[in-house]
Amino acid sequence: IVYRASKEKSTFLLKYLKFDYPSVSQVQNFQKESQILAIFNSQYIPKMIQYLEYNTSYLLVTEDVRGISLDKFTLPLDTNEFLEIAIN
């Protein structure tokens, strides 16, 4: 589950692991996602701000880049557009 939140003039995305008492593999996958986000430094990928335990589950806080979701991005890319995205 993903929520958008704001504080002062910044907006954030809160991704909540939707299972109460998630399985070990669900938690590990969520942790890997946070670790991968922490590695990247790109304007196209949200920066990981915080990973924390919340109630009986977990929460991932990232910056909100106001990008287009990949499931909504259906336009064919030419080679130059593809390479620009791939390099960044």
Side-chain angles (χ1 to χ4, degrees):
I1 300 174
V2 179
Y3 299 98
R4 180 171 280 129
S6 62
K7 183 177 181 181
E8 297 167 7
K9 293 184 180 184
S10 298
T11 58
F12 306 94
L13 294 179
L14 308 174
K15 186 172 183 181
Y16 180 67
L17 190 54
K18 64 182 176 179
F19 304 101
D20 287 337
Y21 305 102
S23 71
V24 172
S25 65
Q26 290 169 328
V27 172
Q28 287 174 336
N29 288 339
F30 209 60
Q31 287 173 331
K32 283 181 186 177
E33 181 178 346
S34 72
Q35 292 166 351
I36 290 169
L37 282 174
I39 292 170
F40 288 105
N41 185 18
S42 169
Q43 66 184 17
Y44 302 107
I45 300 171
K47 291 179 180 44
M48 209 274 294
I49 296 171
Q50 191 172 12
Y51 175 83
L52 59 130
E53 190 171 344
Y54 180 74
N55 292 334
T56 59
S57 194
Y58 293 87
L59 184 71
L60 179 62
V61 182
T62 65
E63 72 174 344
D64 184 5
V65 296
R66 299 272 179 180
I68 298 171
S69 175
L70 288 177
D71 65 341
K72 305 232 183 324
F73 191 82
T74 59
L75 300 175
L77 298 175
D78 66 30
T79 304
N80 290 336
E81 290 172 318
F82 172 80
L83 289 174
E84 180 182 345
I85 292 171
I87 290 169
N88 288 317

